[in-house]
Coordinates of all heavy atoms in Angstrom, one line a residue:
M1 N 92.7 102.2 62.9 CA 91.6 101.4 63.3 C 90.8 102.0 64.4 O 91.4 102.4 65.4 CB 92.1 100.0 63.5 CG 91.1 99.2 64.1 SD 91.7 97.5 64.4 CE 90.0 96.8 64.6
K2 N 89.6 101.9 64.2 CA 88.7 102.4 65.4 C 87.9 101.2 65.8 O 87.2 100.6 65.2 CB 87.7 103.5 64.9 CG 88.4 104.8 64.5 CD 89.0 105.4 65.6 CE 89.8 106.7 65.1 NZ 90.9 106.9 66.1
T3 N 88.2 100.8 67.1 CA 87.6 99.7 67.8 C 86.1 100.0 68.1 O 85.2 99.1 67.8 CB 88.3 99.2 68.9 OG1 88.4 100.3 69.9 CG2 89.6 98.7 68.6
Q4 N 85.8 101.1 68.6 CA 84.4 101.7 68.8 C 84.5 103.0 69.3 O 85.6 103.4 69.7 CB 83.7 100.7 69.8 CG 84.2 100.8 71.2 CD 83.4 99.8 72.2 OE1 82.8 98.9 71.6 NE2 83.4 100.2 73.3
P5 N 83.4 103.9 69.3 CA 83.4 105.1 69.9 C 83.8 105.1 71.2 O 83.2 104.4 72.0 CB 82.0 105.6 69.6 CG 81.4 104.7 68.7 CD 82.1 103.5 68.7
T6 N 85.0 105.7 71.6 CA 85.4 105.5 73.0 C 84.9 106.6 73.9 O 84.8 106.5 75.2 CB 87.0 105.8 72.9 OG1 87.3 107.0 72.4 CG2 87.7 104.6 72.3
Q7 N 84.1 107.7 73.5 CA 83.6 108.7 74.3 C 82.5 108.1 75.2 O 82.4 108.7 76.3 CB 83.2 109.9 73.6 CG 81.9 109.6 72.6 CD 82.3 109.2 71.3 OE1 83.5 108.7 71.1 NE2 81.4 109.3 70.5
N8 N 81.9 107.1 74.9 CA 80.9 106.4 75.6 C 81.4 105.5 76.6 O 80.5 104.9 77.4 CB 79.7 105.8 74.7 CG 79.2 106.9 73.9 OD1 79.0 108.0 74.3 ND2 78.7 106.5 72.7
L9 N 82.6 105.1 76.5 CA 83.2 104.1 77.4 C 83.7 104.7 78.6 O 84.2 105.9 78.8 CB 84.3 103.4 76.8 CG 84.0 102.6 75.6 CD1 85.3 102.1 74.9 CD2 83.1 101.4 75.9
E10 N 83.8 104.0 79.8 CA 84.3 104.5 81.0 C 85.8 104.5 80.8 O 86.4 103.9 79.9 CB 84.1 103.6 82.2 CG 84.2 102.1 82.0 CD 83.7 101.3 83.1 OE1 84.3 101.2 84.2 OE2 82.6 100.7 83.0
P11 N 86.6 105.4 81.6 CA 88.0 105.6 81.3 C 88.9 104.4 81.2 O 89.8 104.3 80.3 CB 88.4 106.5 82.5 CG 87.2 107.2 82.8 CD 86.1 106.1 82.7
R12 N 88.6 103.3 82.0 CA 89.5 102.2 82.0 C 89.3 101.4 80.7 O 90.3 100.9 80.0 CB 89.1 101.2 83.1 CG 87.9 100.6 83.1 CD 87.6 99.7 84.2 NE 86.3 99.0 84.1 CZ 86.0 98.0 83.5 NH1 87.0 97.2 82.9 NH2 84.7 97.5 83.4
L13 N 88.1 101.5 80.1 CA 87.8 100.8 78.8 C 88.3 101.6 77.6 O 88.6 101.1 76.6 CB 86.4 100.5 78.6 CG 85.8 99.4 79.5 CD1 84.4 99.1 79.3 CD2 86.5 98.1 79.3
Q14 N 88.4 102.9 77.8 CA 88.9 103.9 76.7 C 90.4 103.6 76.6 O 90.8 103.4 75.3 CB 88.8 105.2 77.1 CG 87.3 105.8 77.1 CD 87.2 107.3 77.4 OE1 88.1 108.1 77.6 NE2 86.0 107.8 77.6
R15 N 91.0 103.3 77.7 CA 92.5 103.0 77.5 C 92.7 101.6 77.0 O 93.6 101.4 76.2 CB 93.1 103.1 78.9 CG 93.4 104.5 79.5 CD 94.1 104.5 80.7 NE 93.4 103.9 81.8 CZ 92.5 104.4 82.7 NH1 92.1 105.6 82.4 NH2 92.0 103.6 83.7
A16 N 91.9 100.6 77.5 CA 91.9 99.4 76.7 C 91.6 99.3 75.4 O 92.3 98.6 74.6 CB 91.0 98.4 77.6
S17 N 90.7 100.2 75.0 CA 90.3 100.3 73.5 C 91.4 100.7 72.7 O 91.7 100.2 71.6 CB 89.0 101.1 73.4 OG 88.6 101.2 72.1
R18 N 92.2 101.8 73.2 CA 93.4 102.3 72.5 C 94.5 101.1 72.3 O 95.1 101.0 71.3 CB 93.9 103.6 73.2 CG 93.0 104.7 72.9 CD 93.7 105.9 73.4 NE 94.1 106.0 74.8 CZ 93.1 106.4 75.8 NH1 91.9 106.9 75.3 NH2 93.4 106.4 77.1
D19 N 94.6 100.4 73.4 CA 95.7 99.4 73.3 C 95.2 98.2 72.3 O 95.9 97.7 71.6 CB 95.9 98.7 74.7 CG 96.6 99.6 75.7 OD1 97.3 100.6 75.1 OD2 96.8 99.4 76.9
L20 N 93.9 97.9 72.4 CA 93.4 96.9 71.6 C 93.5 97.3 70.1 O 94.0 96.5 69.3 CB 91.9 96.7 71.8 CG 91.1 95.7 70.9 CD1 91.7 94.3 70.9 CD2 89.6 95.6 71.3
E21 N 93.2 98.6 69.8 CA 93.4 99.2 68.5 C 94.7 99.0 68.0 O 95.0 98.6 66.9 CB 92.9 100.6 68.5 CG 93.0 101.3 67.2 CD 92.4 102.7 67.4 OE1 91.4 102.9 68.0 OE2 93.1 103.6 66.6
A22 N 95.7 99.3 68.8 CA 97.1 99.2 68.3 C 97.5 97.8 68.1 O 98.2 97.6 67.1 CB 98.1 99.8 69.5
Q23 N 97.1 96.9 69.0 CA 97.4 95.4 68.9 C 96.9 94.9 67.6 O 97.5 94.1 66.7 CB 97.1 94.7 70.0 CG 97.9 95.0 71.2 CD 99.4 94.5 71.0 OE1 99.7 93.5 70.3 NE2 100.3 95.5 71.4
L24 N 95.5 95.3 67.3 CA 94.8 94.7 66.0 C 95.5 95.3 64.8 O 95.7 94.6 63.8 CB 93.4 95.0 66.1 CG 92.7 94.3 67.3 CD1 91.2 94.5 67.1 CD2 92.9 92.7 67.2
E25 N 95.9 96.6 64.8 CA 96.5 97.2 63.6 C 97.8 96.3 63.3 O 98.1 96.0 62.3 CB 97.0 98.6 63.8 CG 95.7 99.5 63.7 CD 96.0 101.0 63.9 OE1 97.2 101.3 64.1 OE2 95.2 101.8 63.8
S26 N 98.6 96.0 64.3 CA 99.9 95.3 64.2 C 99.6 93.8 63.8 O 100.2 93.3 62.8 CB 100.6 95.3 65.6 OG 101.7 94.4 65.4
L27 N 98.6 93.2 64.2 CA 98.1 92.0 63.9 C 97.9 91.8 62.4 O 98.3 91.1 61.6 CB 97.0 91.3 64.7 CG 96.3 90.0 64.3 CD1 97.3 88.9 64.5 CD2 95.1 89.9 65.0
F28 N 97.0 92.8 61.9 CA 96.6 92.8 60.5 C 97.8 93.2 59.6 O 97.8 92.6 58.5 CB 95.4 93.7 60.3 CG 94.1 93.2 60.7 CD1 93.3 93.8 61.7 CD2 93.6 91.9 60.2 CE1 92.1 93.2 62.2 CE2 92.4 91.4 60.6 CZ 91.7 92.0 61.6
A29 N 98.6 93.9 60.0 CA 99.9 94.2 59.3 C 100.8 92.9 59.1 O 101.4 92.8 58.1 CB 100.6 95.4 59.9
R30 N 100.9 92.2 60.2 CA 101.7 90.9 60.2 C 101.0 89.8 59.4 O 101.7 88.9 58.9 CB 101.9 90.4 61.5 CG 102.8 91.3 62.4 CD 103.2 90.4 63.7 NE 102.1 89.9 64.5 CZ 101.4 90.6 65.4 NH1 101.7 91.9 65.5 NH2 100.4 90.0 66.1
C31 N 99.7 89.8 59.2 CA 98.9 88.8 58.6 C 98.1 89.4 57.4 O 96.9 89.7 57.5 CB 98.0 88.2 59.5 SG 98.7 87.5 60.9
P32 N 98.8 89.7 56.3 CA 98.1 90.5 55.3 C 97.0 89.7 54.6 O 96.1 90.3 54.0 CB 99.2 90.8 54.2 CG 100.3 89.9 54.5 CD 100.2 89.5 56.1
D33 N 96.9 88.4 54.7 CA 95.9 87.6 54.1 C 94.8 87.5 55.1 O 93.6 86.9 54.6 CB 96.4 86.2 53.7 CG 97.4 86.1 52.7 OD1 97.4 87.1 51.7 OD2 98.3 85.4 52.7
L34 N 94.9 88.0 56.3 CA 93.8 87.9 57.3 C 92.8 89.0 56.9 O 93.0 90.2 56.9 CB 94.3 88.1 58.6 CG 93.3 88.0 59.8 CD1 92.6 86.7 59.9 CD2 93.9 88.3 61.1
W35 N 91.6 88.5 56.7 CA 90.4 89.5 56.3 C 89.8 89.9 57.5 O 89.3 91.1 57.5 CB 89.5 88.8 55.3 CG 88.3 89.6 54.9 CD1 88.4 90.6 53.9 CD2 87.0 89.7 55.3 NE1 87.1 91.1 53.7 CE2 86.3 90.6 54.6 CE3 86.4 89.0 56.3 CZ2 84.9 90.8 54.9 CZ3 85.0 89.2 56.6 CH2 84.4 90.2 55.9
G36 N 89.6 89.0 58.4 CA 88.9 89.5 59.8 C 88.8 88.3 60.6 O 89.1 87.1 60.3
F37 N 88.3 88.5 61.8 CA 88.2 87.4 62.8 C 87.2 87.9 63.8 O 86.8 89.1 64.0 CB 89.4 87.0 63.5 CG 90.1 88.0 64.4 CD1 89.8 88.0 65.8 CD2 90.8 89.1 63.9 CE1 90.2 89.0 66.7 CE2 91.4 90.0 64.9 CZ 91.1 89.9 66.3
S38 N 86.5 86.9 64.5 CA 85.6 87.1 65.5 C 86.0 86.4 66.8 O 86.7 85.5 66.9 CB 84.1 86.7 65.1 OG 84.2 85.3 65.1
V39 N 85.6 86.9 67.9 CA 85.9 86.3 69.3 C 84.5 86.2 69.9 O 83.7 87.1 70.0 CB 86.8 87.3 70.1 CG1 86.9 86.7 71.5 CG2 88.1 87.6 69.5
Q40 N 84.2 84.9 70.3 CA 82.9 84.5 71.0 C 83.2 84.1 72.4 O 84.1 83.3 72.5 CB 82.1 83.6 70.2 CG 81.8 84.3 68.8 CD 80.9 83.5 68.1 OE1 80.4 82.4 68.3 NE2 80.5 83.9 66.8
D41 N 82.3 84.4 73.2 CA 82.5 83.9 74.6 C 81.4 82.8 74.7 O 80.3 83.0 74.6 CB 82.1 85.1 75.6 CG 82.2 84.6 77.0 OD1 82.7 83.6 77.3 OD2 82.0 85.5 77.9
K42 N 81.9 81.6 75.1 CA 81.1 80.5 75.3 C 81.5 79.9 76.7 O 82.6 79.3 76.8 CB 81.3 79.4 74.2 CG 80.7 80.0 72.9 CD 80.8 78.9 71.8 CE 80.4 79.6 70.5 NZ 80.6 78.6 69.4
N43 N 80.8 80.0 77.6 CA 81.0 79.5 78.9 C 82.2 79.9 79.5 O 83.0 79.2 80.0 CB 81.0 77.8 79.0 CG 79.6 77.3 78.5 OD1 78.5 77.8 78.8 ND2 79.6 76.2 77.6
N44 N 82.4 81.3 79.4 CA 83.6 81.9 79.9 C 84.9 81.6 79.4 O 85.9 81.7 79.8 CB 83.6 81.8 81.5 CG 82.5 82.5 82.2 OD1 82.2 83.6 81.8 ND2 82.1 82.0 83.2
E45 N 84.8 81.0 78.1 CA 85.9 80.7 77.4 C 85.8 81.5 75.9 O 84.8 81.5 75.4 CB 86.2 79.2 77.0 CG 86.4 78.5 78.2 CD 86.6 76.8 77.8 OE1 87.4 76.7 76.8 OE2 86.2 76.1 78.7
L46 N 86.9 82.0 75.5 CA 86.9 82.8 74.2 C 87.3 81.9 73.1 O 88.3 81.1 73.3 CB 87.8 84.0 74.3 CG 87.5 85.1 75.4 CD1 88.5 86.2 75.4 CD2 86.1 85.6 75.2
F47 N 86.5 82.0 72.1 CA 86.8 81.2 70.8 C 87.0 82.2 69.7 O 86.3 83.2 69.5 CB 85.6 80.3 70.4 CG 85.5 79.1 71.5 CD1 84.7 79.4 72.6 CD2 86.1 77.9 71.3 CE1 84.5 78.3 73.6 CE2 86.1 76.9 72.2 CZ 85.2 77.2 73.3
V48 N 88.0 81.9 68.8 CA 88.3 82.8 67.7 C 87.9 82.0 66.4 O 88.3 80.9 66.1 CB 89.8 83.1 67.7 CG1 90.3 83.8 66.5 CG2 90.3 83.9 68.9
G49 N 87.2 82.8 65.6 CA 86.9 82.4 64.3 C 87.6 83.4 63.3 O 87.7 84.5 63.7
R50 N 88.1 82.9 62.1 CA 88.8 84.0 61.3 C 88.5 83.6 59.8 O 88.1 82.5 59.4 CB 90.3 84.0 61.5 CG 91.0 82.6 61.2 CD 91.7 82.2 62.4 NE 92.5 81.0 62.1 CZ 92.1 79.8 62.4 NH1 91.0 79.6 63.0 NH2 92.9 78.7 62.2
R51 N 88.8 84.6 59.0 CA 88.5 84.5 57.6 C 89.8 85.1 56.8 O 90.3 86.0 57.3 CB 87.3 85.4 57.2 CG 86.0 84.8 57.7 CD 84.8 85.5 57.2 NE 83.7 84.9 57.9 CZ 82.7 85.7 58.4 NH1 82.8 87.0 58.4 NH2 81.7 85.1 58.9
H52 N 90.1 84.4 55.7 CA 91.2 84.8 55.1 C 91.0 84.9 53.5 O 90.1 84.3 53.0 CB 92.4 83.8 55.1 CG 92.9 83.6 56.5 ND1 94.0 84.2 57.0 CD2 92.6 82.8 57.5 CE1 94.2 84.0 58.3 NE2 93.4 83.0 58.6
Q53 N 91.8 85.8 52.9 CA 91.5 85.9 51.4 C 92.8 86.1 50.9 O 93.6 87.1 51.3 CB 90.6 87.0 51.0 CG 90.3 87.2 49.6 CD 89.5 86.0 49.1 OE1 88.7 85.4 49.8 NE2 89.6 85.7 47.7
P54 N 93.4 85.3 50.0 CA 92.9 84.1 49.4 C 93.0 82.9 50.4 O 93.5 83.1 51.5 CB 93.9 83.8 48.1 CG 95.1 84.4 48.7 CD 94.8 85.6 49.5
R55 N 92.5 81.8 50.0 CA 92.5 80.6 51.0 C 93.9 80.2 51.1 O 94.8 80.2 50.5 CB 91.8 79.6 50.1 CG 91.5 78.2 51.0 CD 90.5 77.3 50.2 NE 90.4 76.2 51.0 CZ 89.2 76.1 51.8 NH1 88.4 77.0 51.9 NH2 89.0 74.9 52.4
L56 N 94.1 79.9 52.5 CA 95.5 79.5 53.0 C 95.5 78.0 53.1 O 94.6 77.2 53.2 CB 95.5 80.1 54.4 CG 95.6 81.6 54.4 CD1 95.8 82.1 56.0 CD2 96.6 82.3 53.6
S57 N 96.9 77.6 53.1 CA 97.1 76.2 53.3 C 96.9 75.9 54.9 O 96.7 76.9 55.7 CB 98.6 75.9 53.1 OG 99.5 76.5 54.1
A58 N 96.8 74.6 55.2 CA 96.5 74.2 56.6 C 97.6 74.8 57.6 O 97.3 75.3 58.7 CB 96.5 72.7 56.7
E59 N 98.9 74.8 57.1 CA 99.9 75.3 58.0 C 99.8 76.9 58.1 O 100.0 77.3 59.2 CB 101.4 75.1 57.3 CG 102.4 75.5 58.2 CD 103.8 75.1 57.6 OE1 103.9 74.3 56.6 OE2 104.8 75.7 58.0
Q60 N 99.6 77.5 57.1 CA 99.4 79.0 57.1 C 98.2 79.3 58.0 O 98.2 80.4 58.9 CB 99.2 79.5 55.7 CG 100.4 79.6 54.8 CD 100.0 80.0 53.4 OE1 99.0 79.5 52.8 NE2 100.9 80.8 52.9
Y61 N 97.0 78.6 57.9 CA 95.8 78.8 58.6 C 96.1 78.6 60.1 O 95.8 79.4 61.0 CB 94.8 77.8 58.2 CG 93.4 78.2 58.6 CD1 92.9 79.3 58.0 CD2 92.6 77.4 59.4 CE1 91.5 79.7 58.3 CE2 91.4 77.8 59.9 CZ 90.8 78.9 59.3 OH 89.5 79.3 59.6
G62 N 96.9 77.6 60.5 CA 97.3 77.4 61.9 C 98.2 78.4 62.4 O 98.1 78.9 63.4
D63 N 99.2 79.0 61.5 CA 100.1 80.1 62.0 C 99.2 81.3 62.3 O 99.6 82.0 63.2 CB 101.1 80.3 60.9 CG 102.2 79.2 60.8 OD1 102.3 78.3 61.6 OD2 102.9 79.2 59.7
S64 N 98.2 81.6 61.4 CA 97.4 82.7 61.6 C 96.6 82.6 63.0 O 96.6 83.6 63.7 CB 96.4 82.8 60.4 OG 95.4 83.7 60.7
Y65 N 96.2 81.5 63.2 CA 95.3 81.2 64.4 C 96.3 81.4 65.6 O 95.9 82.0 66.6 CB 94.7 79.8 64.5 CG 93.9 79.5 65.7 CD1 92.6 80.0 65.8 CD2 94.4 78.8 66.7 CE1 91.9 79.8 66.9 CE2 93.8 78.5 67.9 CZ 92.5 79.1 67.9 OH 91.7 78.8 69.2
E66 N 97.5 80.9 65.5 CA 98.5 81.1 66.7 C 98.8 82.6 66.9 O 98.8 83.0 68.0 CB 99.7 80.4 66.4 CG 100.7 80.2 67.5 CD 101.7 79.2 67.3 OE1 101.6 78.2 66.7 OE2 102.9 79.6 67.4
D67 N 99.0 83.4 65.7 CA 99.3 84.7 65.9 C 98.2 85.4 66.6 O 98.4 86.3 67.5 CB 99.7 85.2 64.5 CG 100.4 86.5 64.7 OD1 100.6 87.1 65.7 OD2 100.8 87.1 63.5
I68 N 96.9 85.1 66.2 CA 95.8 85.9 66.8 C 95.7 85.6 68.2 O 95.6 86.4 69.1 CB 94.5 85.5 66.0 CG1 94.5 86.0 64.6 CG2 93.3 86.0 66.8 CD1 93.3 85.4 63.6
T69 N 95.7 84.3 68.5 CA 95.5 84.0 69.9 C 96.7 84.4 70.8 O 96.4 84.8 72.0 CB 95.2 82.4 70.1 OG1 96.4 81.7 69.5 CG2 94.1 81.9 69.4
Q70 N 98.0 84.3 70.4 CA 99.0 84.9 71.1 C 98.8 86.4 71.4 O 99.1 86.9 72.4 CB 100.3 84.6 70.5 CG 100.7 83.1 70.7 CD 101.9 82.7 70.0 OE1 102.6 83.5 69.3 NE2 102.5 81.5 70.2
T71 N 98.5 87.1 70.3 CA 98.3 88.6 70.5 C 97.3 88.9 71.4 O 97.4 89.7 72.4 CB 97.9 89.1 69.0 OG1 99.0 88.9 68.2 CG2 97.6 90.7 69.2
L72 N 96.1 88.2 71.3 CA 94.9 88.5 72.2 C 95.4 88.0 73.6 O 95.0 88.8 74.7 CB 93.7 87.7 71.9 CG 93.2 88.3 70.5 CD1 91.9 87.5 70.1 CD2 92.9 89.8 70.4
A73 N 95.9 86.8 73.8 CA 96.3 86.4 75.2 C 97.3 87.3 75.8 O 97.1 87.7 77.0 CB 97.0 85.0 75.0
A74 N 98.3 87.9 75.2 CA 99.1 88.8 75.8 C 98.4 90.0 76.1 O 98.8 90.6 77.3 CB 100.4 89.1 74.7
L75 N 97.6 90.6 75.3 CA 96.8 91.8 75.6 C 96.0 91.5 76.8 O 95.8 92.4 77.8 CB 96.1 92.3 74.5 CG 95.3 93.6 74.5 CD1 96.3 94.7 75.0 CD2 94.6 93.9 73.3
L76 N 95.3 90.4 76.8 CA 94.4 90.0 78.0 C 95.1 89.9 79.3 O 94.5 90.2 80.4 CB 93.5 88.8 77.6 CG 92.4 89.0 76.6 CD1 91.9 87.7 76.1 CD2 91.3 89.9 77.2
D77 N 96.3 89.3 79.2 CA 97.2 89.3 80.4 C 97.5 90.7 81.0 O 97.4 90.9 82.2 CB 98.4 88.4 80.1 CG 98.3 87.0 80.1 OD1 97.3 86.4 80.6 OD2 99.3 86.4 79.6
E78 N 97.7 91.5 80.1 CA 98.1 92.9 80.5 C 96.8 93.7 80.9 O 97.0 94.4 81.8 CB 98.8 93.6 79.3 CG 99.3 94.9 79.7 CD 100.0 95.6 78.5 OE1 100.8 94.8 77.9 OE2 99.9 96.8 78.3
R79 N 95.8 93.5 80.1 CA 94.6 94.3 80.3 C 93.3 93.4 80.2 O 92.8 93.3 79.2 CB 94.5 95.4 79.2 CG 95.3 96.5 79.4 CD 95.0 97.7 78.5 NE 95.6 98.8 78.7 CZ 95.2 99.6 79.8 NH1 94.3 99.3 80.6 NH2 95.9 100.8 80.0
P80 N 93.0 92.8 81.4 CA 91.8 91.9 81.4 C 90.5 92.5 80.9 O 89.6 91.9 80.3 CB 91.7 91.4 82.7 CG 93.0 91.6 83.4 CD 93.7 92.8 82.6
E81 N 90.3 93.8 81.0 CA 89.1 94.4 80.7 C 88.9 94.5 79.2 O 87.8 94.8 78.6 CB 89.1 96.0 81.2 CG 90.2 96.8 80.8 CD 91.5 96.8 81.5 OE1 91.8 95.8 82.2 OE2 92.2 97.8 81.4
V82 N 90.0 94.2 78.3 CA 89.8 94.1 76.9 C 88.8 92.9 76.6 O 88.1 93.1 75.5 CB 91.2 93.7 76.3 CG1 91.1 93.3 74.8 CG2 92.1 95.0 76.3
C83 N 88.6 92.1 77.4 CA 87.7 91.0 77.2 C 86.3 91.5 76.9 O 85.5 91.0 76.1 CB 87.7 90.0 78.4 SG 86.8 88.5 77.9
E84 N 86.0 92.6 77.6 CA 84.7 93.3 77.4 C 84.5 93.8 76.1 O 83.4 93.9 75.5 CB 84.5 94.2 78.4 CG 84.4 93.8 79.9 CD 84.3 95.0 81.0 OE1 83.4 95.8 80.7 OE2 85.0 94.8 81.9
L85 N 85.6 94.3 75.6 CA 85.5 94.8 74.2 C 85.6 93.9 73.0 O 85.2 94.0 71.9 CB 86.7 95.9 74.0 CG 86.8 97.0 75.0 CD1 88.2 97.6 74.9 CD2 85.6 97.9 74.8
L86 N 86.1 92.7 73.4 CA 86.3 91.6 72.3 C 85.0 90.7 72.0 O 84.9 90.2 70.9 CB 87.5 90.7 72.7 CG 88.8 91.2 72.6 CD1 89.9 90.1 73.2 CD2 89.1 91.4 71.2
R87 N 84.3 90.5 73.0 CA 83.3 89.6 72.9 C 82.3 89.9 71.8 O 81.7 91.0 71.6 CB 82.5 89.5 74.2 CG 83.2 88.8 75.4 CD 82.3 88.6 76.5 NE 83.1 87.7 77.5 CZ 83.4 88.3 78.7 NH1 83.1 89.4 79.0 NH2 84.0 87.4 79.4
T88 N 81.9 88.8 71.0 CA 80.8 88.8 69.9 C 81.1 89.9 68.9 O 80.0 90.4 68.5 CB 79.4 88.7 70.6 OG1 79.2 90.0 71.2 CG2 79.2 87.5 71.5
H89 N 82.2 90.2 68.6 CA 82.3 91.3 67.5 C 83.2 90.7 66.4 O 84.1 89.8 66.6 CB 83.0 92.5 68.0 CG 82.1 93.1 69.1 ND1 82.2 92.9 70.4 CD2 81.2 94.1 68.9 CE1 81.2 93.8 71.0 NE2 80.7 94.4 70.2
F90 N 83.0 91.2 65.2 CA 83.8 90.8 64.0 C 84.9 92.0 63.9 O 84.4 93.1 63.7 CB 83.0 90.5 62.8 CG 83.8 90.0 61.8 CD1 84.2 88.7 61.7 CD2 84.1 90.8 60.7 CE1 84.9 88.2 60.7 CE2 84.8 90.3 59.7 CZ 85.1 89.0 59.6
W91 N 86.1 91.6 63.8 CA 87.2 92.7 63.6 C 87.7 92.5 62.2 O 88.1 91.4 61.8 CB 88.3 92.4 64.6 CG 87.7 92.4 66.0 CD1 87.4 91.3 66.7 CD2 87.5 93.6 66.7 NE1 86.9 91.8 68.0 CE2 86.9 93.1 67.9 CE3 87.7 94.9 66.5 CZ2 86.5 94.0 69.0 CZ3 87.2 95.8 67.6 CH2 86.7 95.3 68.7
R92 N 87.6 93.4 61.2 CA 88.0 93.4 60.0 C 89.3 94.0 59.6 O 89.6 95.0 60.2 CB 86.8 94.0 59.1 CG 85.6 93.4 59.1 CD 84.6 93.9 58.1 NE 84.0 95.2 58.7 CZ 83.2 95.9 58.1 NH1 82.8 95.5 56.8 NH2 82.8 96.9 58.6
A93 N 90.0 93.6 58.7 CA 91.2 94.3 58.2 C 91.0 95.6 57.7 O 92.0 96.4 57.6 CB 91.9 93.3 57.2
A94 N 89.7 95.9 57.3 CA 89.4 97.2 56.8 C 89.7 98.3 57.8 O 89.5 99.4 57.6 CB 88.0 97.3 56.2
L95 N 90.0 97.8 59.0 CA 90.3 98.7 60.3 C 89.1 99.4 60.7 O 89.1 100.6 60.8 CB 91.4 99.6 59.8 CG 92.6 98.9 59.5 CD1 93.9 99.9 59.2 CD2 93.2 97.9 60.5
T96 N 88.0 98.7 60.7 CA 86.7 99.3 61.2 C 86.1 98.4 62.2 O 86.4 97.2 62.3 CB 85.7 99.5 60.1 OG1 85.4 98.3 59.5 CG2 86.1 100.5 59.0
Y97 N 85.3 99.0 63.1 CA 84.6 98.2 64.1 C 83.2 97.9 63.6 O 82.5 98.9 63.2 CB 84.6 99.0 65.4 CG 83.7 98.4 66.4 CD1 84.2 97.4 67.2 CD2 82.6 99.1 66.7 CE1 83.4 96.8 68.2 CE2 81.8 98.6 67.8 CZ 82.2 97.4 68.5 OH 81.5 97.0 69.6
R98 N 82.7 96.7 63.8 CA 81.4 96.3 63.3 C 80.8 95.8 64.5 O 80.9 94.7 65.0 CB 81.4 95.3 62.3 CG 80.0 95.1 61.5 CD 80.3 94.2 60.4 NE 79.3 93.1 60.6 CZ 79.4 92.0 59.9 NH1 80.3 91.8 59.0 NH2 78.5 91.0 60.1
P99 N 79.8 96.6 65.2 CA 79.3 96.2 66.5 C 78.3 95.1 66.5 O 77.8 94.7 67.5 CB 78.7 97.4 67.0 CG 78.4 98.2 65.9 CD 79.4 97.9 64.8
D100 N 78.0 94.6 65.3 CA 76.9 93.6 65.4 C 77.5 92.2 65.8 O 78.7 92.0 65.6 CB 76.3 93.4 64.0 CG 77.1 93.3 62.9 OD1 78.3 93.8 62.9 OD2 76.8 92.6 61.9
S101 N 76.7 91.4 66.4 CA 77.1 90.1 66.8 C 77.4 89.1 65.7 O 76.8 89.4 64.5 CB 76.1 89.4 67.8 OG 76.0 90.2 68.9
V102 N 78.3 88.3 65.8 CA 78.6 87.2 64.8 C 77.7 86.0 65.0 O 77.5 85.6 66.0 CB 80.1 87.0 64.7 CG1 80.5 85.9 63.7 CG2 80.9 88.2 64.5

């Protein structure tokens, strides 16, 4: 998965980008029905929206949300600068980075 071209990032964000890439690859491997998700910053709080294919039960949907938020929270605890890479982007299971805002 390529989170974004890292050559244009400062070194601390390059390292954070590699860690983010590894965590997202693992997340999509654990959640094969997860098609993608977005993270939006609203008033300094991060909100996660996600899409699945096929449609999940309420319990599965909740489990998926919990997995995403726990993965991101752990990464943000370790590397707060990852927040700069997460905001307003859509992350797809196709393992590509789409830099447009959601």
